[in-house]
Each structure stands twice: as structure tokens, then as C-alpha cells.
Amino acid sequence: MKIFTCIKQVPGISDVKIDPKTNTLIREGIPSIMNPMDKNAIELALSIKEERGAEIIAISMGPPQAENVLLEALSMGADKAYLLTDRAFAGADTLATSHALALGIKKILKDSDSNEKYMVICGTQAIDGDTAQVGPELAEDLDIPQITYVQKFELKGDDKVIAERAFRSEEIVVIETKLPVLISVLKEINTPRFPSMLGIVNAYKKKKVVFLDAEALKAEKAYIGLTGSKTEVFKIFIPERKGEHVKLTGTIEEMVKTLCQNLKEDKIF
Amino acid sequence: MSIRIDEELCTGCGACQASCPYGCIEIIDDKARITDECTLCGACVEECPVEAIILEREEIKAEKMDISQYKGVWVIAEHYNNKIHNVAFQLLGKGRELADVLKVNLSLVLLGDDFDDKLEELGQYGEDEIIYVKSKILKDYYSDLYVKTLTELIQENKPEIILIGATPTGRDFAPRVAKRLNAGLTADCTGLTIDLETRNLLQTRPTFGGNIMATIRTPSSRPQMSTVRPGIFKIAPKTNKKAKIRKINYDYKQKDSVTKIVKVISREKIKINLEEAEIIVSGGRGVKSKENWHIIEELAEILNAEVGGSRVTVELNWVDHDRQVGQTGKTVSPKLYIACGISGAIQHIVGMQGADIIIAINKDENAPIFKVAHYGIVGDLNKVIPALIEEIKKTKKDLKKNNL
């Protein structure tokens, strides 16, 4: 069985701060990291491999420097890694991104020339865009079933898939389907392992990241990159903080008294 | 396909540099220069005051879509246990506004079973029409059946805007429908307006963890699809109007779906719904300890409010995860939100700025929370809250007396 894990290189946004003077993002020193939930995807692939054997293929679309996150995936234990990189892919929205990934997966399946079963595992969403759209759009492009927001997963027998999907804060639904399938996982599903020393050595010495461009994928321009995107960014801005800035004054007793009078007028009481 | 700077026009003002979310623009010798890391997102193009940034799309020899064929605004409802998710009513409120600007009809689309006797009541939230697809199996959510049904309905009826709640269910079927239609979809929107000249829907959403907002449009194709964050828009007011009801029967069988629902597991915990609370009292790091958390609960109790917390209070286990307000927690829009000892990081602000009235209590007079607050009290919450509780008791007592 082949397990594809989709990886995205993202800015480590928890470090992003706003410059209060210029009201712009401070970007210096923000590292590029592997999207956290993608690590959960790799971890799930590794646990399936350990249980029943599988070939894990990490795949990403991005600029050449995204090779780093694929090397990290190889270090964690992925067997192969492919980077779809080409200026023609740039400016892609989720629709165009999912198409490039689908072409990559189809090519790898076709070139391997076997009728093995396969599945695709994605992180539910990336921390930069937070769209959670690429997974389902990729499943549609590949024409396979999808189960999203998965927090528990099991493969039974030859091709039976059982997954727990967190669809409301109060309920979990257990869904059954068959391979091939795409699942998108939540961070609750497992704890990703750290790459071992041997894993890192192997990734850099024995394995390599294969680069594929638009031509290699026989991609039609109308469906990739900026041209293949239906949505476009109209503008980007730093959120405004609204409010009337009424700072109450006086002693604590006076302040709470004024506050309660105001709330009475506002019909809160 | 490329981006370039017209050096004749560029004044080196730097407006583009500030707008680039990826930090890919440098100003060298008073001219902007775009580095190789550029993703062609296009955010800078609109920012340039002299139109010196040119984003070139390769001309594709494809038929241009006739977008004028598409008319009307749709809201797709989601339900569980025969109860419609609240976000549908919020979307009807916003949808009515958009439809009025565009002078088109608003429709509610409902896929389900057993809603027949509820349709009349459901039709009073401002929509012109309810499209009710009835099939026994659709009492539950089946991803592939939703995708198939909705795609067919959209192809046949050609709405120009489709609004879907950004819940795990909406975010499951919406992308797949968009892909099947080759339509643009914007995730988790918190602002929706119309550019009347082009009839484009301008969809604003938080990105980069809520640090920046992006406005997205779908200029040359229809339908324009959005998933919309629950709790952002106000529920549509009930009217006396009655929507036209269009009922379509589908005879789906279990075998028509590639998936099977094995079971639904209820999580063993107190069911709280912060999104629907009218008053929320939230605590932050300023509460100082789990032992001191009762002060937040006491204020909430006297106000008959729900308790919320900032991210750090959840991480420190002072309060349950279900009560976290903010980017990675819940987005709430109560009538009253009281932030106690919360400094007001943008990740928290995006989750509560929709509240009608915001009160901030904080020791640090420079805390950013005061910028969004309608009423601010600078002071030690351990002193302010007990005084506030006393005053609320007194105010309520006086009111009761006056009403007698």
C-alpha cells in the first residue's frame, strides 16, 4: 500500500508580532516550519506502516526552499518525497493547489506501475491560511472518498477504513468506507515523533527529494497557479481595533456605579 | 504569468512593502523590488497608489464565463437531530442584506427528512424561498450525497452567491462542491460586502492566525462560495413573511453513499454553548491562579452568564477547553462581554470583538484590550470584581423594587 502525506511549509506564525508604530507585521526572524498538523499526518502514516507495512510518500507544492520540510518528513521516516515546484504553480488558490497535488499523486501512482491500494493523509488545515479546503478538493480531484476532521483512525482487513470524525463539540461520528480514501487529521489523533539521529542521517545521505515541474506533471495552465485560481486577494490589512475607549475614572466604587448605570441604560439588566 | 514593477511609475513609497504578507518586497534605490519568494498573491497590487505593480495572467484560450447568468443568494442549512444549526439563521440575516443590495432573491437550501411541518416557521427569517430536498437518508449528514445534490441544484439554478456555515460539516462538503463546479471558495469568512459595480462579493477573513485580514474576491467566475464563521453575524429577525416552498424528493439509498455512519458517540461533558450565550464573563492571565478562578465564576453567576477564558487559562487548566474564546477557540458575539485580566492579544480580540458591549478590567492601563472595550476599568480585578458584584446586586434590587 502507498500512503501519500501532503505537507506544507508555513511561516511559524505564533511568532508573528505587529509593530505598534507602523501597524505592520514584523517578519524578521520568522522561521519556516512544517505545518504542525502535517506532522500528525506523517505520524499516522508511520503507525500504519509499522502495523501492516506501507510505502510512505511525502508530497508538497511550493517554492524550492520547501525541500526543507520534505527532508524533515524523510527524517521522520517517510520513504520518498516529491516537491512540485515551478513558477507556473505560484499564486495558486486552494483549487489550483489541489489540482497540482492530484497530478503529482496520479503521476507517482502511474509511474509505479502497480495496482497497489493507496490512501492520502493530510493535516486538516494549515496555520497560515487556515482554509481546510485543499484536502477535500484533492479528494474530489482524485475521485476518492474523504473523511475530514479525523481524530481516530483504523484500517481493518484488506481495505476497510473506520474513522472517528469530530463534527461537533459534543459528538463524534464514526464513519466507515473503503480504500482508496483521503483523510484529514486533527492534532488530537496522535503525538508526532521527533526524527531520530539515524533518520536524519538517512534522509540526507540515502534519500532525496525529487523535484517535479509543471511539464513533468503535464499540467494544463488553465488549472494551475494564478491562472487556474478562481479567487484572488483583493487586499490585505491589519485588523482595526474598534471601541469607544471609555475609561472610567474615580474610586472603584464610583467606577462600578457608573458602569452599572450605563449597563442599565443599555438594557443589560 | 508574472509580477513586475513599472520603474517609471514607482515612487519607492513603500506602501507595497507594508502590504506584503510574505515580506518579499524590498525598496532599493527608491524603487520597489520583488524577491523570488513572492507567491503572486496580489495583495500589493491594490495597495500601490500609482498603479506601478503589474500582475500578469497568461491569457487562456478558454471561453469566458457569462457571469450575468447567475442570480440570487443561497444559504445552505446544516442540521443535527432535526435541529437547524444556528449559523443558518445568521447567514439568512447577512444573506438578506446582500440580496437586497443586489436586488435578487434569497433562498434557504435544506437537505433533510422530517422537516415538512417546520418549513412554515423556517420560512419566516427573511428568505424568499426554501428549497427543501427530502430524502430519508438525509436526516444524517453524508458528505458525498450533499456534494452530489448541491452540485446538481447549483448547476440547474445558478445562484451567484452561496453561503455555508464554516462548521466541520460545511467545511467538509463546501470545498468538494466548489471543486466539482470549478468555482471559487473562500474559507471561514468574517466579513461579507458587495462591490456593486462588479456585483463581486468581497469576502474578508482572518489569516496568519488572525494577525492579518485578507479580502478575497472571485472576479470572473460564478458562483462565489463562502464558508462563514459561526457567531459573527446576527440572527435574522423573524418576520410575518412566508417563504415559497419548493420541495424536491430524492430517493437515496444507503448504497448511494460510499460511506456508512457506524455510530455517533456523545462526549461525556457538560454541554455548553458559548456562541449562543447572551453574557460572557472571561478571565485571563490576570486572574493569577486556578484557586482564584472562582472570582470569575461568581461574577458570571450573578449575571446569569457563561464563563469564558483566554488561551493561556485553558493551557493552564484553569478552565475547560470548550470555554476558550479566540482564534483557536470560540468566536462569540454576546450582548455583553466582560474581559477580566485579559491583555487583549489579537488572537483573543478576533474571537470577541463582535460583542455589543465590551467591558475590560485590567491592571495595566496600556493593555490593548482597552482599545476594543466600550467601558474600561483600570484596577486590580480582585478589588474591582467584588465591588462590581455588590453594585450589580444593588442595581438589580432597585430595578425589582421599581417594577413592583
Side-chain angles (χ1 to χ4, degrees), chain A residues 17 71 92 115 177 229:
Chain A
K17 296 264 176 345
L71 283 166
N115 283 325
T177 190
S229 300

mmCIF file of all heavy atoms in Angstrom, chain A residues 17 71 92 115 177 229:
data_model
loop_
_atom_site.group_PDB
_atom_site.id
_atom_site.type_symbol
_atom_site.label_atom_id
_atom_site.label_comp_id
_atom_site.label_asym_id
_atom_site.label_seq_id
_atom_site.Cartn_x
_atom_site.Cartn_y
_atom_site.Cartn_z
ATOM 1 N N LYS A 17 4.445 39.124 15.239
ATOM 2 C CA LYS A 17 4.010 40.235 16.090
ATOM 3 C C LYS A 17 3.728 41.450 15.200
ATOM 4 O O LYS A 17 4.243 41.560 14.096
ATOM 5 C CB LYS A 17 5.130 40.608 17.065
ATOM 6 C CG LYS A 17 5.489 39.513 18.056
ATOM 7 C CD LYS A 17 4.756 39.738 19.351
ATOM 8 C CE LYS A 17 4.922 38.685 20.420
ATOM 9 N NZ LYS A 17 5.457 37.412 20.142
ATOM 10 N N LEU A 71 12.564 17.142 3.628
ATOM 11 C CA LEU A 71 13.696 16.456 4.272
ATOM 12 C C LEU A 71 13.333 16.092 5.710
ATOM 13 O O LEU A 71 13.703 15.039 6.211
ATOM 14 C CB LEU A 71 14.944 17.350 4.236
ATOM 15 C CG LEU A 71 15.658 17.403 2.884
ATOM 16 C CD1 LEU A 71 16.659 18.553 2.849
ATOM 17 C CD2 LEU A 71 16.356 16.077 2.570
ATOM 18 N N ALA A 92 -1.237 30.133 -6.554
ATOM 19 C CA ALA A 92 -2.366 29.197 -6.585
ATOM 20 C C ALA A 92 -3.285 29.389 -5.388
ATOM 21 O O ALA A 92 -2.816 29.540 -4.263
ATOM 22 C CB ALA A 92 -1.833 27.769 -6.601
ATOM 23 N N ASN A 115 -0.721 -2.153 -8.989
ATOM 24 C CA ASN A 115 -2.122 -1.910 -8.647
ATOM 25 C C ASN A 115 -2.349 -1.870 -7.144
ATOM 26 O O ASN A 115 -3.411 -2.218 -6.657
ATOM 27 C CB ASN A 115 -3.015 -2.967 -9.291
ATOM 28 C CG ASN A 115 -3.206 -2.677 -10.766
ATOM 29 O OD1 ASN A 115 -3.266 -1.509 -11.166
ATOM 30 N ND2 ASN A 115 -3.256 -3.717 -11.565
ATOM 31 N N THR A 177 -15.666 3.392 5.418
ATOM 32 C CA THR A 177 -15.611 3.389 3.958
ATOM 33 C C THR A 177 -14.503 2.434 3.524
ATOM 34 O O THR A 177 -14.012 1.647 4.322
ATOM 35 C CB THR A 177 -15.447 4.818 3.397
ATOM 36 O OG1 THR A 177 -15.624 4.799 1.987
ATOM 37 C CG2 THR A 177 -14.079 5.400 3.705
ATOM 38 N N SER A 229 -6.547 29.827 -10.660
ATOM 39 C CA SER A 229 -7.234 30.190 -9.422
ATOM 40 C C SER A 229 -8.486 31.003 -9.711
ATOM 41 O O SER A 229 -8.484 31.891 -10.555
ATOM 42 C CB SER A 229 -6.296 31.018 -8.536
ATOM 43 O OG SER A 229 -5.150 30.266 -8.228
#
